Amino acid sequence: MSIDSKGKTAGESGAPGATNFIKAIIDEDNKTGKYGGKVLTRFPPEPNGYLHIGHAKSICLNFGLAREYGGLCNLRFDDTNPSKEEVEYVESIMEDVRWLGFDWQNRLFYASDYFGKLYEYAIQLIKQGVAYVDDLTADQIREYRGTLTAPGKESPFRNRSAEENLDLFERMKAGEFPNGARTLRAKIDMSSPNLNMRDPVMYRILHESHHRTGDQWCIYPMYDWAHGQSDSIEGVTHSICTLEFEDHRPLYDWFVDQLGIHHPQQIEFARLNLTYTMMSKRKLLQLVQEGIVSGWDDPRMPTLSGLRRRGFTPESIRDFSERIGVAKRDSMVDYALLEHCLREDLNRRAGRVMVVLRPLKLIIDNYPEGRVEEVEAINNPEDSGMGKRTLPFSRELYVERDDFREVPHKKWFRLAPGSEVRLKHGYIIKCNDYKKNPDTGEVTELHCTYDPGTRSGESTDGRQGPADRKVKGTLHWVSAAHAAEAEVRLYDQLFTKEEPDSDRDFRVNINPRSLEILKGCKIEPGLKDARPGERLQFLRHGYFCVDTRDSRPGAATGSSGPVFNRTTSLRDTWAKIEGK
RNA sequence: UGGGGCGUCGACAAGCGGUAAGUCACCAGCCUUUGGAGCUGGUAUUCCCAGGUUCGAAUCCUGGCGCCCCAGCCA
């Protein structure tokens, strides 16, 4: 069933329980016994780049379907093009799939595992008279293919004898010919309205070493020739791919039918598009190569490694995949939905902590000098099991610079001359005075008095006491003498436009403020030892995680300390009010 | 002027001839020692358009219109 705790959508109503068209197809197949009730899917990435959130949809779909129907899902690398593929990518892909929470157990495969079998199959088709070696150049093949509206014409080499084809094909494999000299093609129909059926190329000559098979081969199968047969060899029942392969299905079917082997069913669905996000692997590579981002795992990247470093949880991504559904129509999902799934998950699991991003000194004039109190702070109001911690409270504190206004808005209920606020977990204070730098006009210091009877949690006997006095605003703070410092990286959308890729050059849509680096942020004392990867909520700010690459927890003062990445901000109702 | 798909709220998405689910976003209110979270309510008289069939159509038929994909020895 659903992998998260709230998989309430899966098959809860109606007899077959289908909630998307693919499940409906599987239900029907199970009913008719098409595959004997078996469900075997596969996730078939090409190792030529890092996985992104769009792949996550496919991974969740394929592994999720297998799980739901008591079937299995294979991981198979579609490594048929040695000129683009690298081991770095296969390793990152495995790490990402595992991180997302899926397990292919002992079913890790590569299309290259089947190069030998595919070669035998090709010989079979040559013998059947439905495949031939063609001497046409790439340009000629293109010319002969015809156009969308005009039929193609047959290659002069199309009717070679099986013997001659066998001989030539054998010599192609033996390396007798240079790259591009010949191809093996399927003999189908040069006048088919479906261009994929106009004698598609099955093998091309590529004198290049492959990341797994080395120099064993110099002919490599094309996608169409490799994919369906690989599915068939593995016994895949439902071969799920994206919409652009719809036109390839007749060819997929043709190959397995000609071969007379197990016939998986190809099903196409719409790939994910997300607002403010670019999903093209090629362009993502460009961002990395041009140094626009710091790497594939830059926290602004939509790659799984980027999202992971940004602080996303695999649970939230799975939940998102579940909620967006699966259909055939092109769509554009609001980034806000992904963010919602993230916040919902983080809200219940991230420990609360107080961090002042842009510090402003606050002095409580009537608080005894040198005195330090320990106040108790709950770690997560959503989960009392997460316990409590104590925080030092003293006369001099830091509060957020943005929490003070010299001239407040009518609905402002934070600090301003004469206003009263509660210091979270501490006392109610009143702002009496403030100091400014006469030259710059910058506020440098706030002077307040506190009400000693209002300490948080003081009136636990159930009766209303002074500690229960209500004020409208509650602020986070950190004791000046006890605070540690940290670097905080505020990330925002990488692009300013919902469809960054809709312009000729996506670079014009890059958000110049996608990253703001804050140094000298004041963190509560316990935070200097935060573990890399740890996720926290900075009270009133948002969700942050300790950077796994640059953070130096517990580092001595003076050197680089902890580094936090903002995963996402909290919903900011005040910003809306102020904006009106 | 070829072929393959797709058109239901701002965004996703159910619906499969019986009279428009749900989610996000948005709006309003309640609650709150995070202007967070939570809670309550509101938001498509209508399903791309036009005809037709039917007691009844988002669902069936016909004809339009719009959008996406396909002419790599990429996947």
Side-chain angles (χ1 to χ4, degrees):
Chain A
M1 301 293 95
S2 187
I3 43 195
D4 57 36
S5 54
K6 51 182 180 316
K8 49 184 174 281
T9 50
E12 68 176 356
S13 65
T19 51
N20 64 50
F21 78 101
I22 297 180
K23 291 183 190 180
I25 290 170
I26 296 177
D27 288 338
E28 181 62 20
D29 290 344
N30 284 166
K31 205 165 71 186
T32 62
K34 183 172 180 182
Y35 297 111
K38 283 211 204 66
V39 174
L40 210 214
T41 56
R42 101 268 92 114
F43 173 61
E46 182 189 12
N48 68 340
Y50 280 65
L51 258 26
H52 55 59
I53 182 80
H55 294 109
K57 175 180 181 182
S58 173
I59 295 167
C60 293
L61 214 208
N62 279 295
F63 280 92
L65 248 16
R67 182 168 341 207
E68 234 175 278
Y69 285 91
L72 296 168
C73 179
N74 297 348
L75 173 62
R76 182 177 71 237
F77 287 97
D78 226 330
D79 55 350
T80 57
N81 186 352
S83 56
K84 289 186 172 180
E85 298 150 6
E86 295 172 24
V87 285
E88 176 197 349
Y89 297 129
V90 344
E91 279 160 9
S92 75
I93 288 168
M94 290 197 281
E95 183 186 358
D96 289 345
V97 174
R98 267 191 227 107
W99 176 75
L100 248 197
F102 298 102
D103 184 5
W104 54 87
Q105 296 165 306
N106 61 340
R107 296 178 317 285
L108 169 63
F109 303 115
Y110 295 82
S112 56
D113 293 340
Y114 313 130
F115 283 175
K117 188 68 183 173
L118 254 13
Y119 182 76
E120 288 172 26
Y121 281 155
I123 286 173
Q124 180 186 337
L125 293 193
I126 290 172
K127 287 179 177 166
Q128 284 172 208
V130 292
Y132 62 97
V133 172
D134 197 353
D135 299 0
L136 255 31
T137 64
D139 283 345
Q140 289 172 315
I141 286 183
R142 191 180 322 115
E143 278 173 43
Y144 276 65
R145 186 156 31 228
T147 68
L148 293 179
T149 50
K153 57 183 181 193
E154 298 182 349
S155 165
F157 304 98
R158 197 175 198 255
N159 295 308
R160 296 214 246 229
S161 68
E163 293 67 34
E164 187 182 2
N165 281 319
L166 251 14
D167 173 63
L168 255 14
F169 186 48
E170 166 70 37
R171 290 162 60 196
M172 277 171 64
K173 175 179 178 257
E176 280 189 37
F177 313 116
N179 288 353
R182 292 182 219 264
T183 56
L184 183 74
R185 294 230 256 166
K187 190 193 283 192
I188 308 180
D189 178 6
M190 289 308 292
S191 62
S192 170
N194 180 345
L195 305 214
N196 293 302
M197 301 300 272
R198 320 244 262 225
D199 290 12
V201 171
M202 296 165 64
Y203 277 100
R204 74 288 216 178
I205 298 171
L206 236 39
H207 290 272
E208 205 148 345
S209 57
H210 183 277
H211 68 100
R212 294 193 76 242
T213 60
D215 295 320
Q216 190 182 156
W217 297 87
C218 62
I219 55 172
Y220 290 95
M222 298 289 290
Y223 165 85
D224 287 304
W225 172 238
H227 202 93
Q229 282 48 253
S230 300
D231 283 342
S232 179
I233 290 167
E234 291 174 17
V236 166
T237 56
H238 304 270
S239 179
I240 300 166
C241 61
T242 44
L243 253 28
E244 67 271 26
F245 291 102
E246 222 149 10
D247 287 343
H248 295 242
R249 188 168 10 125
L251 178 55
Y252 184 108
D253 292 338
W254 189 88
F255 279 133
V256 290
D257 286 343
Q258 287 295 323
L259 258 11
I261 56 180
H262 166 69
H263 195 148
Q265 176 176 191
Q266 178 179 302
I267 302 168
E268 311 85 9
F269 73 99
R271 60 164 7 118
L272 170 68
N273 294 298
L274 239 200
T275 55
Y276 301 105
T277 307
M278 194 173 64
M279 224 73 93
S280 148
K281 268 197 206 176
R282 206 196 92 235
K283 290 173 181 168
L284 256 18
L285 212 211
Q286 194 182 340
L287 287 173
V288 173
Q289 288 179 336
E290 293 181 7
I292 295 168
V293 295
S294 64
W296 285 101
D297 69 343
D298 185 297
R300 291 165 293 182
M301 290 284 272
T303 51
L304 294 181
S305 52
L307 294 169
R308 176 165 61 235
R309 192 169 163 206
R310 174 83 169 250
F312 276 72
T313 60
E315 290 82 358
S316 66
I317 294 173
R318 281 189 241 129
D319 183 34
F320 172 72
S321 299
E322 187 71 34
R323 294 207 207 192
I324 56 178
V326 181
K328 296 196 72 157
R329 83 174 85 137
D330 292 309
S331 60
M332 177 67 68
V333 177
D334 265 348
Y335 187 85
L337 179 59
L338 212 210
E339 230 172 7
H340 170 82
C341 295
L342 212 213
R343 289 192 181 116
E344 188 173 81
D345 190 29
L346 257 16
N347 176 49
R348 59 169 189 260
R349 52 201 284 193
R352 270 60 168 176
V353 104
M354 295 201 287
V355 170
V356 176
L357 262 20
R358 298 173 178 88
L360 172 62
K361 181 68 78 66
L362 183 152
I363 297 160
I364 305 172
D365 293 317
N366 63 339
Y367 195 88
E369 215 143 344
R371 177 168 161 196
V372 178
E373 275 182 80
E374 293 288 316
V375 302
E376 196 170 66
I378 186 151
N379 288 329
N380 187 345
E382 304 291 321
D383 180 3
S384 56
M386 288 176 73
K388 296 171 178 173
R389 67 188 186 288
T390 58
L391 260 18
F393 183 90
S394 63
R395 181 180 148 92
E396 295 196 6
L397 312 172
Y398 286 113
V399 294
E400 209 64 57
R401 184 162 285 281
D402 190 47
D403 282 338
F404 175 75
R405 290 293 146 86
E406 289 182 80
V407 184
H409 177 285
K410 47 280 183 207
K411 286 189 177 171
W412 179 259
F413 33 88
R414 281 123 92 161
L415 288 166
S419 79
E420 262 191 325
V421 300
R422 162 143 242 136
L423 292 174
K424 180 79 180 175
H425 307 126
Y427 297 91
I428 290 178
I429 58 167
K430 180 171 185 176
C431 180
N432 304 307
D433 196 12
Y434 62 101
K435 293 200 171 120
K436 282 169 85 166
N437 177 326
D439 300 326
T440 61
E442 187 190 44
V443 176
T444 54
E445 214 172 81
L446 262 26
H447 283 269
C448 303
T449 48
Y450 84 118
D451 179 347
T454 58
R455 210 230 227 225
S456 288
E458 239 11 23
S459 57
T460 48
D461 55 3
R463 283 178 288 117
Q464 284 286 315
D468 299 307
R469 187 150 70 87
K470 307 278 186 220
V471 285
K472 280 190 285 190
T474 300
L475 306 187
H476 62 280
W477 52 273
V478 91
S479 170
H482 305 86
E485 295 199 344
E487 174 177 326
V488 176
R489 298 173 181 172
L490 302 179
Y491 290 102
D492 199 354
Q493 301 287 9
L494 221 205
F495 297 101
T496 52
K497 196 171 176 178
E498 284 202 356
E499 295 185 63
D501 211 3
S502 62
D503 288 278
R504 192 153 298 179
D505 186 347
F506 68 81
R507 288 174 299 190
V508 306
N509 297 317
I510 286 174
N511 179 3
R513 290 189 290 274
S514 62
L515 169 59
E516 183 180 2
I517 298 176
L518 264 23
K519 302 203 186 219
C521 300
K522 304 293 184 181
I523 62 179
E524 58 177 73
L527 228 40
K528 61 177 180 295
D529 298 315
R531 302 178 314 279
E534 189 171 352
R535 301 184 185 93
L536 298 156
Q537 184 195 102
F538 289 4
L539 227 61
R540 303 209 302 131
H541 280 304
Y543 298 98
F544 293 74
C545 71
V546 183
D547 192 71
T548 46
R549 189 179 291 279
D550 301 328
S551 198
R552 299 285 175 274
T557 37
S559 77
S560 58
V563 174
F564 295 94
N565 296 326
R566 181 172 69 192
T567 308
T568 189
S569 59
L570 251 24
R571 283 186 65 225
D572 190 354
T573 309
W574 164 248
K576 273 180 201 163
I577 296 169
E578 194 182 31
K580 280 180 188 169

